[in-house]
């Protein structure tokens, strides 16, 4: 299916790397105007330049998604540049390791703020602007660890589970204002986030737990996001979309 998002304005947090970068390129290729928001401004600018070089329109912003002031500024600068907001993709995230006895309070707070509070802040400040345009779409990137926890990933598993149920709450609260809200749960995707995993450990993990052979690519997650943001998905809200090569189908090992 060829999806046309010409004229739509999308903000992608964490758009400077991995799934966010792939999504920024995919939304631009579908005709959208893209705001690439990233903690490191240089990474956002590099992706915005790629979009411009391909003939698209993009704005790079330095934003820390866990700070309300930054998120408010992100929405305001988007409206000032493009006239409104149609889609917000809450993609930025970190993935610290540790059980509850291992992880520090500071690391717990940082993970919950970046991975979960950011979704609250993004929705809180984007929805009023979307309503002015008759509606909009909020997408978030959780992960399969939000559905079933992973050993040694206490904060991340808790934050991503929170994103899934917050998605449902936003969907219920704002459906009558024309807002749709859905969440994507990728399995293991090759990105800078997972680059620290040695190839042999990755292959052993995938061979053991992922029924479909091969490694999920960031652009495959991006295509799902493009579909969910489009009018083709106009009756889909409050849902969790798993793209994991079959891991969540059941025990495979
Ligand atoms: N890669 C995977 O296997 C995988 C699996 C499941 C879920 N996810 C989720 O997908 C999302 C993207 O992951 P990725 O693999 O592309 O990671 P990545 O590390 O390649 O990209 C994440 C981007 O977010 C930015 N970022 C981090 N903290 C930020 C903050 N506080 N404010 C603004 N930007 C910030 C980083 O600078 C980076 O550009 C994350 O939410 C991650 O949890 C990834």
């Amino acid at each position: 299916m060829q999806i046309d998002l010409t004229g739509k304005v999308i903000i992608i947090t964490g758009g400077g790397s991995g799934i966010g970068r792939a999504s920024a390129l995919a939304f631009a290729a579908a005709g959208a105007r893209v705001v690439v928001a990233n903690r490191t401004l240089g990474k956002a600018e590099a992706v915005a330049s790629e979009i411009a070089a391909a003939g698209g329109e993009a704005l790079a912003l330095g934003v820390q998604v866990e700070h309300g002031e930054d998120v408010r500024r992100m929405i305001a600068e988007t409206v000032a540049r493009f006239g409104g907001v149609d889609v917000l993709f809450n993609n930025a995230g970190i993935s610290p390791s540790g059980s509850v006895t291992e992880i520090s309070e500071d690391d717990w707070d940082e993970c919950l703020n970046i991975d979960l509070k950011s979704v609250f802040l993004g929705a809180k400040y984007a929805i009023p602007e979307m309503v002015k345009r008759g509606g909009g779409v909020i997408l978030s990137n959780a992960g399969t660890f939000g559905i079933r926890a992973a050993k040694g990933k206490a904060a991340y598993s808790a934050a991503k589970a929170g994103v899934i149920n917050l998605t449902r709450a936003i969907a219920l609260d704002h459906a009558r204002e024309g807002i749709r809200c859905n969440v994507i749960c990728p399995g293991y995707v090759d990105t800078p986030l997972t680059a620290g995993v040695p190839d042999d450990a990755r292959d052993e993990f995938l061979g053991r737990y992922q029924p479909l052979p091969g490694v999920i690519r960031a652009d495959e997650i991006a295509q799902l996001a493009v579909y969910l943001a489009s009018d083709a998905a106009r009756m889909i809200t409050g849902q969790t979309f798993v793209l994991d090569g079959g891991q969540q189908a059941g025990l495979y090992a």
Side-chain angles (χ1 to χ4, degrees), residues 17 19 38-39 63 65-66 91 141-142 156 160 187 189 191 193:
S17 171
I19 296 168
N38 207 77
R39 178 164 54 188
V63 172
V65 291
E66 68 275 35
N91 164 76
N141 223 342
Y156 185 78
K160 295 301 194 179
V189 187
T191 70
L193 187 78

Side-chain angles (χ1 to χ4, degrees), residues 20 41 47 56 71 108 113 117 165 170 183 187 193 200 204 242 244:
L41 177 60
V47 174
V71 175
W108 170 275
N113 286 340
K117 186 181 178 189
N165 223 25
I170 294 167
V183 58
L193 187 78
D200 53 349
E204 196 200 326
V242 177
D244 71 344

